[in-house]
Amino acid sequence: MTWTPFRPSDDECLYGYLVPANMFASASLRQLAVIAADLWSDSELQRRALTLADQIDDGIKKHAIITHPTHGKMYAYEVDGLGHSLLMDDANVPSLMSIPYLGWDYDEEIYQNTRNFILSADNPTYAHNKAKSIYGYGSPHMAERIPNNIWPMGQIMMGLTSKDPSEKLEMVKQLVKTTGRTGWMHESYDPDRPSTFTRKWFCWADALFAELVMSLTDADCIGIRPHLQGL
């Protein structure tokens, strides 16, 4: 695995091997191998990219899959290669939630267990409003300013990686309701007071939200399209 000092949020890693970043690296290396072979006819670069990707995948399988007492086998967020692991997810991408979006070759059962963990009280970054009508997860990065924070990026990724059209629609509805009447996606917000947020605009999240809305045009989402009216 590759060592990472900082998370995508810029927070310092607790353990040196950030698992979703390694997954992203592996997926990107395999894409590089295709480019090397098909466009550049560079068999040596292709070999080196695939070798490194295989080594990273072997490290993930050996060190980053843990057994949770409630959720079973799942992916850890960070590991040190010595048996220690951090169980959480940070809403910034790459994240554990975003594994299918990253294009990494994952185990579906282990990913589903990981997803169940992320969307439960066992995940320290999971948050919801008092009515539990708004829910998602956030990041320690904004914990000082908004202790119970939700990141739109996390909710968007929940929708983008969901196989359930109704869940995609629910995320769109929640995201529209929680812009603090600005019409923009933010970095983070307070689910009980969405007008309390960080970053007036966050173009990365805006672009991902557009991608989520576009995903509702997929064939498997035909049945929910009438419910989009009036959002």
Side-chain angles (χ1 to χ4, degrees):
M1 298 175 72
T2 56
W3 188 81
T4 311
F6 297 100
R7 300 168 186 166
S9 64
D10 297 327
D11 290 340
E12 188 176 357
C13 289
L14 177 63
Y15 298 121
Y17 298 96
L18 181 60
V19 177
N22 273 269
M23 293 170 170
F24 194 16
S26 170
S28 297
L29 284 164
R30 295 189 189 283
Q31 292 169 346
L32 173 60
V34 173
I35 294 172
D38 294 351
L39 295 182
W40 301 333
S41 300
D42 190 334
S43 59
E44 176 59 16
L45 178 58
Q46 178 192 31
R47 183 194 66 77
R48 291 172 60 191
L50 290 175
T51 297
L52 183 53
D54 287 342
Q55 290 173 343
I56 291 173
D57 288 349
D58 288 345
I60 292 172
K61 291 174 183 177
K62 183 176 180 180
H63 300 291
I65 299 173
I66 61 91
T67 301
H68 190 278
T70 301
H71 302 282
K73 284 188 176 182
M74 57 171 283
Y75 296 113
Y77 185 69
E78 293 173 4
V79 296
D80 66 355
L82 300 173
H84 301 98
S85 59
L86 175 62
L87 303 185
M88 59 163 275
D89 199 17
D90 189 303
N92 215 317
V93 180
S95 61
L96 293 175
M97 179 66 72
S98 70
I99 290 172
Y101 182 83
L102 300 177
W104 188 68
D105 186 17
Y106 61 96
D107 181 288
E108 290 198 11
E109 181 179 356
I110 295 176
Y111 172 72
Q112 187 59 53
N113 291 344
T114 307
R115 187 184 182 93
N116 293 341
F117 164 83
I118 294 168
L119 300 178
S120 77
D122 293 322
N123 173 22
T125 63
Y126 178 72
H128 56 74
N129 63 356
K130 291 178 182 177
K132 297 185 178 180
S133 58
I134 304 295
Y135 53 87
Y137 68 108
S139 170
H141 185 61
M142 283 294 113
E144 273 192 31
R145 294 180 62 180
I146 305 176
N148 189 47
N149 69 82
I150 289 178
W151 280 44
M153 190 180 294
Q155 291 180 300
I156 293 166
M157 202 51 65
M158 287 163 60
L160 284 172
T161 57
S162 176
K163 297 180 180 179
D164 182 356
S166 63
E167 184 177 11
K168 290 178 180 286
L169 178 61
E170 177 60 27
M171 287 301 102
V172 170
K173 288 180 176 180
Q174 290 191 29
L175 287 158
V176 169
K177 289 178 181 177
T178 54
T179 66
R181 298 184 178 181
T182 67
W184 298 96
M185 297 294 107
H186 305 297
E187 179 185 40
S188 66
Y189 67 89
D190 184 333
D192 284 304
R193 293 187 303 168
S195 58
T196 300
F197 55 78
T198 58
R199 291 199 185 187
K200 291 182 179 180
W201 54 268
F202 194 19
C203 289
W204 185 6
D206 285 327
L208 283 174
F209 178 69
E211 189 172 351
L212 173 59
V213 173
M214 288 173 63
S215 76
L216 297 177
T217 66
D218 293 345
D220 60 351
C221 293
I222 291 176
I224 67 169
R225 289 178 195 170
H227 300 284
L228 293 172
Q229 296 179 7
L231 286 181

